[in-house]
């Protein structure tokens, strides 16, 4: 029912109150030429790259460390999972303090190396770094546990055979560990893609004003404006529910497009046995 109603709204101009005016394909025509929508699309893709690659790398390192640790392993797993179950809103407020222009921890660290303060949340790339850092912090532990499950499913005799043949740690990782983690890595990449394309809370808490609509959403120059944040700003701050529903369907199409690419790549790799 919500999907049907949203599709119907996309063909209307409605403020949430009063009559619903049918306007045909006007919302879709405007979406295809809307600079803010394409700005939000570009920001979302950039944030996806900035968050997914470091998250996957750090999660693999953490999983390898957990796999080699025998004592207190359960405690470590719980600790690494805590960020994933912590409220993103609460952590967003904390990260806004960490990236404060004057007294934040991020500036305190770079001051140690002789650099001047950076206005993180008042600059285009500073905003992107702050949002990406929050995403990385939230999902490294969860992805590490998934990779850890894959590591523990690998037959240990393969490592013993590799050691007998004289393979060092790097060769063992790239020729035994990594190939057998392929399905898990592809799954994490797919879920990270979908999650990043639907990113909202991080950008909302770190950058958005409480009012002003899409024009001021996402911080300086809309540099933190994601697709879902743009949808929220249009629909629930500007009360343009018809166009907001159109943006929502635009997000759906983009998510399906990238999901299809992931599925095709996964299928081709499976057929080739790569």
């Amino acid at each position: 029912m919500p999907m049907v109603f949203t599709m119907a709204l996309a063909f209307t101009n409605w403020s949430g109150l009063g009559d619903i005016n049918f306007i045909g394909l006007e919302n879709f025509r405007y979406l295809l030429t809307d600079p803010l929508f394409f700005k939000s699309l570009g920001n979302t893709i950039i944030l996806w790259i900035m968050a997914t690659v470091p998250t996957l790398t750090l999660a693999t390192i953490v999983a390898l460390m957990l796999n080699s640790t025998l004592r207190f392993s359960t405690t470590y797993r719980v600790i690494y999972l805590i960020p994933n179950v912590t409220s993103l809103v609460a952590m967003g407020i904390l990260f806004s303090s960490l990236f404060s222009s004057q007294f934040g921890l991020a500036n305190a660290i770079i001051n140690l190396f002789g650099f001047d303060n950076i206005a993180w949340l008042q600059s285009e790339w500073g905003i992107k770094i702050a949002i990406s850092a929050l995403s990385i912090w939230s999902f490294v532990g969860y992805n590490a546990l998934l990779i850890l499950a894959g590591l523990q499913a690998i037959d240990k005799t393969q490592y013993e055979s590799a050691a007998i043949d004289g393979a060092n740690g790097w060769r063992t990782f790239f020729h035994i560990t990594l190939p057998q983690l392929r399905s898990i890595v592809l799954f994490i990449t797919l879920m990270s893609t979908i999650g990043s394309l639907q990113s909202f809370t991080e950008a909302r808490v770190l950058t958005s004003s409480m009012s002003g609509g899409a024009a001021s959403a996402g911080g300086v120059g809309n540099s933190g404006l994601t697709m879902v944040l743009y949808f929220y700003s249009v629909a629930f701050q500007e009360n343009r529910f018809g166009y907001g529903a159109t943006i929502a369907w635009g997000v759906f199409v983009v998510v399906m497009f990238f999901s299809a690419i992931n599925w095709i790549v996964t299928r081709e790799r499976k057929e080739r046995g790569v």
Side-chain angles (χ1 to χ4, degrees), residues 10-193:
F11 295 96
T12 69
N13 179 19
W14 185 47
S15 65
L17 298 172
D19 296 333
I20 299 178
N21 302 315
F22 179 78
I23 59 174
L25 297 173
E26 288 302 314
N27 284 330
F28 292 96
R29 292 194 187 99
Y30 181 70
L31 182 69
L32 296 176
T33 59
D34 184 0
L36 269 183
F37 175 75
F38 287 100
K39 175 75 173 181
S40 69
L41 174 59
N43 288 339
T44 303
I45 293 175
I46 291 172
L47 290 170
W48 165 58
I49 296 172
M50 292 177 64
T52 300
V53 175
T55 297
L56 190 56
T57 302
L58 291 173
T60 302
I61 295 173
V62 170
L64 291 171
M65 293 171 59
L66 289 175
N67 194 45
S68 62
T69 302
L70 297 178
R71 297 185 61 189
F72 309 114
S73 59
T74 302
T75 303
Y76 292 144
R77 295 173 196 176
V78 172
I79 291 174
Y80 282 115
L81 190 60
I82 287 176
N84 187 251
V85 298
T86 304
S87 169
L88 266 180
V89 174
M91 294 315 305
I93 296 172
L94 174 61
F95 267 69
S96 65
S97 298
L98 295 179
F99 285 95
S100 172
S101 301
Q102 298 298 326
F103 308 106
L105 179 61
N107 277 331
I109 293 174
I110 66 172
N111 289 158
L112 295 176
F113 296 93
F115 296 101
D116 295 330
N117 285 350
I118 297 175
W120 295 99
L121 300 180
Q122 284 77 46
S123 62
E124 180 176 355
W125 286 101
I127 288 173
K128 288 182 171 63
I129 291 172
I131 294 174
S132 301
L134 177 54
S135 298
I136 293 168
W137 185 89
S138 299
F139 294 103
V140 162
Y142 173 75
N143 290 331
L145 294 184
L146 294 178
I147 296 174
L148 177 63
L151 288 172
Q152 294 181 339
I154 298 175
D155 186 359
K156 299 301 184 291
T157 59
Q158 298 181 53
Y159 294 113
E160 296 172 0
S161 299
I164 294 174
D165 291 338
N168 58 29
W170 288 106
R171 291 179 62 87
T172 300
F173 176 75
F174 284 105
H175 292 280
I176 296 178
T177 305
L178 195 57
Q180 297 193 63
L181 291 176
R182 181 181 64 249
S183 59
I184 292 178
V185 170
L186 289 173
F187 170 76
I188 291 175
T189 303
L190 174 61
M191 298 308 295
S192 297
T193 299

